[in-house]
Amino acid sequence: MTTTKRKPARRGKKSSPAAKAPRPGRRPPFAAEPPLQQGLLEMATIGAQSFLWLATVVASVAALAGAAFGIWSLRPLPAYSSERVRVGSPFEVTFRIENASAWFPLSHLKIRCALAGVDASDMPPVEADGSKIPARLGPGEQASFTCPFRAGDLDVALRSELYFRSEYDLPVLGSLRLSDNGGPFVLNTRLLPPRWTAKPGKD
């Protein structure tokens, strides 16, 4: 009787670490999101900075506008008045101009006289005779001028309104010119002797 030799059972070989299937690489952990309170605080800080910047811009613009308005309000302005009308044409009268500014002079003043009314087309605007007006009319100073209209009777004058269109240098910046419209003025026969005065209800 023959006996069969059993082959000794082979022990399974342990697989080496290199033989193991590589594990998928681990992803780096996500950055932790800031807490809600911290996010709100950051948003509030950004909003406060934006509001402060906007408020600064608005305040700066308002300050510049206020300064510009203040300087503009100090600009020199001419004020007109009439001496009494003597015998002859009511337009042959001497007018006076005063620098109403307390700060700046009226420099290189030019005046143009104009009439409005039913007879205005017959008496076109004329350049005033400003030979007695100095090149620089200081604050509060006065000078005289005339409007060389052609002769007209009293009825024409009573139906007319007189205007003065003036031009003069802008203070500090002499290369720029300012303009001013004075009037209307009407012949006031209630005064004795009559004078050209500002029309009632007008500045």
Side-chain angles (χ1 to χ4, degrees), residues 4 6 11 25-26 48 60 72-73 77 80 108-109 112 119 121 130 167 171 182 184 202:
T4 331
R6 297 182 179 178
R11 297 181 180 178
R26 295 182 179 178
S60 300
W72 180 253
S73 64
L77 290 174
Y80 303 95
H108 302 107
L109 180 65
R112 190 173 178 83
D119 303 297
S121 58
E167 290 186 357
K202 300 292 183 180

Side-chain angles (χ1 to χ4, degrees), residues 161-179:
E161 294 180 351
L162 181 60
Y163 293 84
F164 301 113
R165 320 292 189 188
S166 59
E167 290 186 357
Y168 47 93
D169 292 345
L170 175 67
V172 183
L173 300 175
S175 59
L176 300 178
R177 301 277 286 174
L178 293 176
S179 60

Side-chain angles (χ1 to χ4, degrees), residues 2 14 18 37 40 42 52 55 70 83 95 103 107 115 134 140 148 155 157 172 181 185 188 191-192 195:
T2 61
K14 295 183 177 180
Q37 185 176 0
L40 293 176
E42 292 179 356
L52 180 61
E83 294 186 0
F95 297 95
W103 299 93
S107 300
L115 287 175
D155 291 336
V172 183
N181 296 327
F185 293 87
N188 189 346
L191 299 176
L192 295 176
R195 299 171 187 263

Side-chain angles (χ1 to χ4, degrees), residues 10 22 33 38 46 69 91 93 127 129 133 147 193 199:
R10 295 181 180 180
E33 296 183 358
Q38 182 179 354
I46 295 174
F69 177 78
F91 300 106
V93 60
E127 296 289 338
D129 180 4
I133 301 178
C147 294
K199 186 176 182 179

Side-chain angles (χ1 to χ4, degrees), residues 5 24-25 34-35 40 43 48 53-54 57 61 73 77 84-85 93 102 111 135 137-138 141 148 157 181-182:
K5 291 183 180 180
L40 293 176
M43 291 177 61
W53 176 83
L54 181 60
V57 171
V61 172
S73 64
L77 290 174
R84 59 185 183 177
V85 176
V93 60
I111 304 174
L137 191 64
E141 293 183 351
N181 296 327

Side-chain angles (χ1 to χ4, degrees), residues 20-109:
K20 292 181 178 179
R23 297 181 179 179
R26 295 182 179 178
R27 296 180 180 177
F30 292 101
E33 296 183 358
L36 178 61
Q37 185 176 0
Q38 182 179 354
L40 293 176
L41 181 60
E42 292 179 356
M43 291 177 61
T45 303
I46 295 174
Q49 292 175 349
S50 301
F51 178 78
L52 180 61
W53 176 83
L54 181 60
T56 303
V57 171
V58 172
S60 300
V61 172
L64 291 175
F69 177 78
I71 295 175
W72 180 253
S73 64
L74 295 177
R75 74 190 187 281
L77 290 174
Y80 303 95
S81 61
S82 163
E83 294 186 0
R84 59 185 183 177
V85 176
R86 302 181 182 275
V87 178
S89 173
F91 300 106
E92 295 177 356
V93 60
T94 300
F95 297 95
R96 301 195 68 81
I97 182 170
E98 178 184 358
N99 182 2
S101 172
W103 299 93
F104 301 105
L106 282 170
S107 300
H108 302 107
L109 180 65

